[in-house]
Amino acid sequence: MTGGGDAAPMEASLAAVAEAGIDIRHALFDRFLAAYPARRAAFLNLDAASRRMTDETLQILYGLAQGETWVWPLVAELVATHRNYGALPIAEYDAFIDMTIDVLGQAAGASWTDEAAAAWARQGAALKAMVRRAAAEWQSAMPEGAARA
Protein backbone atom coordinates (compact mmCIF):
# COMPACT_ATOMS: atom_id res chain seq x y z
CA MET A 1 0.00 0.00 0.00
CA THR A 2 1.34 3.39 -0.95
CA GLY A 3 0.94 5.90 1.83
CA GLY A 4 0.00 3.58 4.72
CA GLY A 5 -3.30 4.76 6.13
CA ASP A 6 -4.29 7.02 3.24
CA ALA A 7 -7.50 5.17 2.41
CA ALA A 8 -9.46 6.33 5.47
CA PRO A 9 -9.00 10.10 5.05
CA MET A 10 -9.51 9.74 1.30
CA GLU A 11 -12.76 7.84 1.85
CA ALA A 12 -13.93 10.48 4.33
CA SER A 13 -13.39 13.25 1.80
CA LEU A 14 -15.18 11.28 -0.91
CA ALA A 15 -18.10 10.69 1.44
CA ALA A 16 -18.26 14.40 2.31
CA VAL A 17 -18.47 15.34 -1.36
CA ALA A 18 -21.10 12.67 -2.01
CA GLU A 19 -23.17 13.79 1.00
CA ALA A 20 -23.01 17.36 -0.30
CA GLY A 21 -24.32 16.08 -3.64
CA ILE A 22 -21.49 17.67 -5.60
CA ASP A 23 -20.54 16.24 -8.99
CA ILE A 24 -16.94 17.39 -9.39
CA ARG A 25 -16.67 16.47 -13.06
CA HIS A 26 -18.15 19.76 -14.23
CA ALA A 27 -15.60 21.92 -12.44
CA LEU A 28 -12.84 19.46 -13.32
CA PHE A 29 -13.54 19.50 -17.03
CA ASP A 30 -14.11 23.25 -17.09
CA ARG A 31 -10.61 23.66 -15.66
CA PHE A 32 -9.02 20.99 -17.82
CA LEU A 33 -10.50 22.28 -21.07
CA ALA A 34 -9.64 25.87 -20.16
CA ALA A 35 -6.02 24.76 -19.72
CA TYR A 36 -6.03 22.48 -22.81
CA PRO A 37 -8.71 23.83 -25.17
CA ALA A 38 -7.42 21.84 -28.14
CA ARG A 39 -8.44 18.63 -26.32
CA ARG A 40 -12.15 19.43 -26.56
CA ALA A 41 -12.26 18.06 -30.12
CA ALA A 42 -11.03 14.66 -28.89
CA PHE A 43 -14.24 14.11 -26.91
CA LEU A 44 -17.00 12.68 -29.08
CA ASN A 45 -19.35 12.68 -26.08
CA LEU A 46 -17.99 15.00 -23.41
CA ASP A 47 -20.75 14.12 -20.94
CA ALA A 48 -19.93 10.40 -21.04
CA ALA A 49 -16.18 10.92 -21.12
CA SER A 50 -16.21 13.37 -18.21
CA ARG A 51 -18.18 10.90 -16.07
CA ARG A 52 -15.88 8.00 -16.93
CA MET A 53 -12.59 9.87 -16.62
CA THR A 54 -13.52 11.49 -13.31
CA ASP A 55 -14.76 8.22 -11.82
CA GLU A 56 -11.78 6.23 -13.07
CA THR A 57 -9.28 8.76 -11.73
CA LEU A 58 -10.89 8.80 -8.28
CA GLN A 59 -11.19 5.00 -8.22
CA ILE A 60 -7.56 4.54 -9.24
CA LEU A 61 -6.31 6.99 -6.61
CA TYR A 62 -8.42 5.34 -3.90
CA GLY A 63 -7.41 1.89 -5.17
CA LEU A 64 -3.76 2.86 -4.88
CA ALA A 65 -4.33 3.84 -1.25
CA GLN A 66 -5.87 0.45 -0.61
CA GLY A 67 -3.04 -1.41 -2.32
CA GLU A 68 -5.37 -2.88 -4.95
CA THR A 69 -3.66 -5.10 -7.53
CA TRP A 70 -6.02 -4.06 -10.35
CA VAL A 71 -4.64 -0.52 -10.41
CA TRP A 72 -1.47 -1.12 -12.42
CA PRO A 73 -3.13 -3.11 -15.24
CA LEU A 74 -5.88 -0.50 -15.52
CA VAL A 75 -3.41 2.39 -15.65
CA ALA A 76 -1.35 0.58 -18.29
CA GLU A 77 -4.49 -0.06 -20.35
CA LEU A 78 -5.69 3.54 -20.05
CA VAL A 79 -2.33 4.90 -21.17
CA ALA A 80 -2.40 2.51 -24.16
CA THR A 81 -5.96 3.55 -25.03
CA HIS A 82 -5.06 7.23 -24.85
CA ARG A 83 -2.30 6.64 -27.39
CA ASN A 84 -5.12 6.36 -29.95
CA TYR A 85 -5.57 10.12 -29.55
CA GLY A 86 -1.95 10.84 -30.41
CA ALA A 87 1.02 11.53 -28.22
CA LEU A 88 -0.38 12.96 -25.01
CA PRO A 89 2.23 14.83 -23.03
CA ILE A 90 2.87 13.56 -19.52
CA ALA A 91 2.20 17.11 -18.34
CA GLU A 92 -1.46 16.69 -19.36
CA TYR A 93 -1.81 13.52 -17.30
CA ASP A 94 -0.14 15.28 -14.36
CA ALA A 95 -2.43 18.30 -14.73
CA PHE A 96 -5.57 16.15 -14.87
CA ILE A 97 -4.54 14.27 -11.73
CA ASP A 98 -3.69 17.51 -9.91
CA MET A 99 -6.91 19.18 -11.05
CA THR A 100 -8.97 16.17 -9.92
CA ILE A 101 -7.48 16.35 -6.44
CA ASP A 102 -7.81 20.14 -6.27
CA VAL A 103 -11.45 20.17 -7.39
CA LEU A 104 -12.26 17.35 -4.96
CA GLY A 105 -10.69 19.35 -2.15
CA GLN A 106 -12.70 22.43 -3.06
CA ALA A 107 -15.91 20.38 -3.14
CA ALA A 108 -15.12 18.79 0.24
CA GLY A 109 -14.90 22.23 1.81
CA ALA A 110 -14.38 22.15 5.57
CA SER A 111 -14.15 18.34 5.44
CA TRP A 112 -10.88 18.63 3.48
CA THR A 113 -8.35 18.10 6.24
CA ASP A 114 -4.58 18.38 6.06
CA GLU A 115 -4.51 14.60 6.44
CA ALA A 116 -6.83 14.12 3.46
CA ALA A 117 -4.90 16.61 1.33
CA ALA A 118 -1.63 14.84 2.10
CA ALA A 119 -3.14 11.41 1.40
CA TRP A 120 -4.55 12.49 -1.97
CA ALA A 121 -1.25 14.17 -2.86
CA ARG A 122 0.73 11.00 -2.07
CA GLN A 123 -1.57 8.87 -4.18
CA GLY A 124 -1.50 11.47 -6.95
CA ALA A 125 2.30 11.27 -7.01
CA ALA A 126 2.10 7.47 -7.13
CA LEU A 127 -0.36 7.60 -10.03
CA LYS A 128 1.83 10.04 -11.94
CA ALA A 129 4.76 7.63 -11.53
CA MET A 130 2.60 4.77 -12.84
CA VAL A 131 1.55 6.82 -15.86
CA ARG A 132 5.20 7.53 -16.64
CA ARG A 133 6.07 3.85 -16.29
CA ALA A 134 3.17 2.78 -18.51
CA ALA A 135 4.00 5.39 -21.15
CA ALA A 136 7.64 4.30 -21.20
CA GLU A 137 6.72 0.63 -21.45
CA TRP A 138 4.25 1.22 -24.28
CA GLN A 139 6.76 3.42 -26.09
CA SER A 140 9.37 0.68 -25.78
CA ALA A 141 6.99 -2.05 -26.93
CA MET A 142 5.20 -0.02 -29.62
CA PRO A 143 7.05 3.17 -30.52
CA GLU A 144 4.90 6.09 -31.65
CA GLY A 145 5.10 6.53 -35.40
CA ALA A 146 6.36 2.97 -36.02
CA ALA A 147 4.88 1.21 -39.02
CA ARG A 148 1.87 -0.92 -38.09
CA ALA A 149 0.81 -4.09 -39.84
Side-chain angles (χ1 to χ4, degrees), residues 46-139:
L46 183 58
D47 182 61
S50 66
R51 291 172 193 273
R52 185 183 67 253
M53 288 175 61
T54 303
D55 289 349
E56 286 174 343
T57 303
L58 293 171
Q59 290 168 5
I60 288 168
L61 289 165
Y62 184 62
L64 275 169
Q66 294 180 305
E68 296 289 347
T69 58
W70 55 261
V71 171
W72 166 246
L74 179 59
V75 170
E77 178 185 346
L78 290 172
V79 169
T81 300
H82 284 100
R83 287 170 50 108
N84 291 325
Y85 299 98
L88 298 181
I90 293 295
E92 287 186 33
Y93 286 99
D94 288 353
F96 191 83
I97 293 165
D98 290 341
M99 288 177 194
T100 300
I101 294 168
D102 187 51
V103 169
L104 181 70
Q106 290 172 1
S111 298
W112 191 253
T113 64
D114 290 344
E115 183 183 15
W120 284 100
R122 280 189 292 273
Q123 301 314 315
L127 178 53
K128 290 175 192 178
M130 281 187 161
V131 167
R132 282 169 172 71
R133 176 181 157 204
E137 288 185 11
W138 281 113
Q139 181 61 25

Side-chain angles (χ1 to χ4, degrees), residues 32-33 35-44 46 85-89 92:
F32 181 75
L33 294 173
Y36 302 97
R39 289 290 172 220
R40 183 176 294 277
F43 295 101
L44 299 176
L46 183 58
Y85 299 98
L88 298 181
E92 287 186 33

